[in-house]
Amino acid sequence: MPQPWWKSAVVYQVYPRSFRDTDGDGVGDLEGIRRGLPHLQWLGVDALWLSPIYKSPMADFGYDVADHCDVDPAFGTLADMDRLIAEAHDRGLRVLLDWVANHTSDQHPWFQASRSSRDHPMRDWYVWRDRPNNWVAAIGDGPAWTFDPATDQHYLHLFLPQQPDLNWANPQVQQAMHDTLRFWLDRGVDGFRADVIHLIGKDPALPDDPPHLVGTSRVGRHDEPRTHELLRGIRAVLDSYPGERMMVGEVNLDAHERIARYYGRGDQLHLAFDFVPLYAAWDAAVWRGVVADVERVFGAADAWPTWVLSNHDQPRHRSRYGGGEARARAAAVLLLTLRGTPFLYAGEELGLTDAEIPPGRAVDPGGRDGCRAPLPWEPGPAHGWASPDPWLPWPPCAEERNVATLRARPDSILHLYRRLLAARRASPALSLGSLEMLDTPAGVLGYVRAAGDHRRTVLVNFHDEPADAPLAGDHVVEVASDGAGEGGPYGGRLAPTQGVVLRPA
Ligand code: GLC
């Protein structure tokens, strides 16, 4: 049976401000993304997801949208976007846009209208109350409410005060937001990454958090039945278009069971991010538990898993794990061979660590600048950017860790990602097959992926010492994280921090 494209796809996340600047303002732009398409095609990913490119005052660097249907001038124009979509498609790459549905910018005309008077017909598009409840905002530790003296009421914002929450209980809001989807679907995008989508449904009573939770953000636990109904409405919009348009939702909850419910019965999200692995330590036992839980929970829910190690909100996994590039390489083996859709964050294919941000250069109120450092394309002071002074400092070792330099070195981590992506694309077992855990020695994680007669065995040694991991039957090393012995027989022993993909001999 043919499977939808998003199950076997690998998605590459672009943070537009940090990808590539072509006009010299120190901020990446759509033209820079367009010029980066050959790199993505060479690498072998299937789709790119762009963090927000919409008109925005940039209080949250684009996650505060002032117009869902226009491009911010810092990034380019709608015409640039049309060109980017067309050229990506010509290169066989799908395009996903970020869709920020829980809130808008306080500069959005909807909010300007809503705040103008209590009687304005759009007052109810946002959440206004005389008395705030005890919720706190996710960025900064302040209250989730801001008092607006003009109309003598408070408005709700689960993030910054510049990001008022939309009132999704209002059918006009639902319609208007559906229209923003249609606007981009009509322009040919293949789908969306839906920002904190689990937050859109709210109990109109807005009950106080219980005492033991006061002072903690709701984002990791807000799990409201109403959201599921709203997701069915959103899904219907996507389904009314040809070509399997897809939505992957950021469901920032802490348990696989809760996340899996957001797939519904195939009538809500196509995919939901599962951040449990993103927070998991570099430890074979921890990962064994995570993989087994994902298999159990998502398998039972008939929901296709996702795998994310890094994104624009968390320290890069190479920085989190420590242990140098070897761990980043072994992690790439995991990310690209587990059962589910992997999401790569731009720069992880270069083995980037977070940038050091000197105190005077911090710009994000949420403290996430380090992982948003600009992507180095070349050696030299400007690293392929039109300006040598981008909005954030370069990541460490950019003179060596850049696309051009690593591309010229077949033993680089960049080539490892490419080999893994090629192996995955060529193997029905790796892209769509089942997963069965192997009984491996402590410190080693092992599993078999199988589809019909196709089989691949994956072994990852989490320890910094060699590990014996014998297998029944003869195997050939297809990909090794350190490149050692590829094409030769597997000898039953893993090098320190080595990950391998094996095929039957
Ligand atoms: C999501 C985004 C994050 C943003 C927040 C508010 O978590 O990934 O960058 O700050 O939503 O939109």
Side-chain angles (χ1 to χ4, degrees):
M1 226 186 45
Q3 295 285 329
W5 66 270
W6 42 267
K7 281 194 170 176
S8 55
V10 176
V11 183
Y12 183 100
Q13 180 190 358
V14 170
Y15 194 70
R17 295 182 70 82
S18 302
F19 196 68
R20 191 172 196 165
D21 171 27
T22 62
D23 62 6
D25 64 356
V27 170
D29 43 50
L30 294 182
E31 174 60 12
I33 300 171
R34 194 186 68 79
R35 291 191 203 166
L37 293 178
H39 168 63
L40 302 185
Q41 197 181 12
W42 173 85
L43 186 61
V45 297
D46 302 278
L48 53 157
W49 142 37
L50 309 185
S51 279
I53 45 80
Y54 314 108
K55 196 165 270 182
S56 166
M58 304 287 167
D60 192 13
F61 296 110
Y63 285 93
D64 48 325
V65 178
D67 184 348
H68 299 86
C69 302
D70 203 358
V71 172
D72 193 88
F75 298 129
T77 63
L78 270 177
D80 293 330
M81 193 65 213
D82 289 340
R83 188 168 174 211
L84 174 59
I85 295 170
E87 200 166 316
H89 286 169
D90 285 347
R91 292 177 178 277
L93 295 163
R94 305 200 190 235
V95 179
L96 309 176
L97 293 187
D98 222 302
W99 187 55
V100 189
N102 177 66
H103 43 266
T104 68
S105 162
D106 62 348
Q107 302 305 307
H108 197 296
W110 299 345
F111 187 70
Q112 296 287 318
S114 178
R115 88 187 316 178
S116 66
S117 119
R118 288 196 188 201
D119 304 324
H120 194 285
M122 291 176 88
R123 181 66 169 181
D124 186 47
W125 281 42
Y126 292 82
V127 184
W128 294 96
R129 292 288 185 276
D130 289 329
R131 255 192 310 278
N133 65 11
N134 65 2
W135 296 0
V136 299
I139 305 181
D141 291 327
W145 297 89
T146 289
F147 180 67
D148 201 30
T151 55
D152 207 21
Q153 275 192 320
H154 304 254
Y155 64 87
L156 176 68
H157 52 86
L158 290 177
F159 292 89
L160 296 171
Q162 296 94 322
Q163 292 167 297
D165 279 42
L166 283 164
N167 175 21
W168 271 84
N170 182 329
Q172 290 176 338
V173 168
Q174 298 171 22
Q175 272 309 316
M177 286 305 290
H178 290 179
D179 286 346
T180 68
L181 291 173
R182 292 192 185 95
F183 177 85
W184 291 104
L185 291 165
D186 288 337
R187 294 188 106 86
V189 304
D190 301 282
F192 302 91
R193 174 267 188 188
D195 190 61
V196 287
I197 198 69
H198 64 303
L199 301 180
I200 62 174
K202 292 179 180 88
D203 178 345
L206 298 176
D208 272 335
D209 278 334
H212 69 286
L213 292 174
V214 172
T216 68
S217 157
R218 293 186 61 78
V219 173
R221 58 189 159 84
H222 183 98
D223 193 11
E224 182 51 51
R226 283 168 181 80
T227 301
H228 298 284
E229 187 58 43
L230 296 170
L231 284 174
R232 282 189 279 273
I234 290 164
R235 176 64 175 259
V237 176
L238 293 173
D239 285 349
S240 71
Y241 282 77
E244 293 183 290
R245 314 296 173 102
M246 186 272 267
M247 183 172 278
V248 53
E250 184 193 16
V251 177
N252 216 328
L253 296 170
D254 57 5
H256 308 292
E257 285 81 359
R258 303 170 87 182
I259 298 164
R261 275 189 234 126
Y262 286 76
Y263 290 72
R265 296 200 167 96
D267 57 354
Q268 297 183 38
L269 296 172
H270 298 80
L271 294 172
F273 284 145
D274 178 352
F275 290 155
V276 176
L278 180 73
Y279 302 123
W282 183 251
D283 178 301
V286 169
W287 271 86
R288 170 177 288 272
V290 167
V291 174
D293 284 350
V294 166
E295 281 300 302
R296 180 176 50 79
V297 173
F298 286 77
D302 201 16
W304 187 249
T306 61
W307 295 95
V308 181
L309 297 180
S310 286
N311 64 27
H312 64 293
D313 289 329
Q314 298 295 330
R316 287 182 176 274
H317 62 274
R318 171 147 180 216
S319 296
R320 288 199 321 270
Y321 294 155
E325 188 181 291
R327 285 190 187 166
R329 286 175 175 249
V333 172
L334 280 179
L335 177 70
L336 295 173
T337 63
L338 285 164
R339 195 180 72 90
T341 300
F343 288 76
L344 267 69
Y345 178 47
E348 70 174 77
E349 78 276 25
L350 308 178
L352 293 185
T353 49
D354 285 1
E356 292 248 2
I357 309 293
R361 297 215 43 197
V363 289
D364 175 39
R368 298 161 292 186
D369 296 320
C371 65
R372 299 175 177 179
L375 198 74
W377 288 84
E378 298 165 7
H383 294 301
W385 283 47
S387 135
D389 292 314
W391 71 295
L392 285 172
W394 297 105
C397 315
E399 206 46 31
E400 293 83 47
R401 267 179 209 290
N402 59 71
V403 175
T405 302
L406 297 189
R407 213 172 137 159
R409 278 187 28 209
D411 63 347
S412 67
I413 187 170
L414 176 59
H415 279 267
L416 169 66
Y417 267 84
R418 186 167 187 251
R419 290 199 304 281
L420 285 166
L421 285 159
R424 183 187 166 90
R425 186 184 293 266
S427 162
L430 288 178
S431 51
L432 290 165
S434 61
L435 182 147
E436 200 186 314
M437 300 294 280
L438 287 173
D439 204 5
T440 41
V444 175
L445 182 67
Y447 44 89
V448 176
R449 302 288 314 277
D453 294 341
H454 298 270
R455 283 169 84 82
R456 291 291 180 271
T457 301
V458 178
L459 296 170
V460 176
N461 179 8
F462 281 68
H463 282 174
D464 305 336
E465 295 137 39
D468 288 318
L471 292 172
D474 292 334
H475 292 81
V476 171
V477 178
E478 185 165 81
V479 184
S481 60
D482 54 0
E486 288 180 0
Y490 172 63
R493 195 172 161 82
L494 296 166
T497 322
Q498 190 191 37
V500 292
V501 181
L502 309 173
R503 63 168 182 264

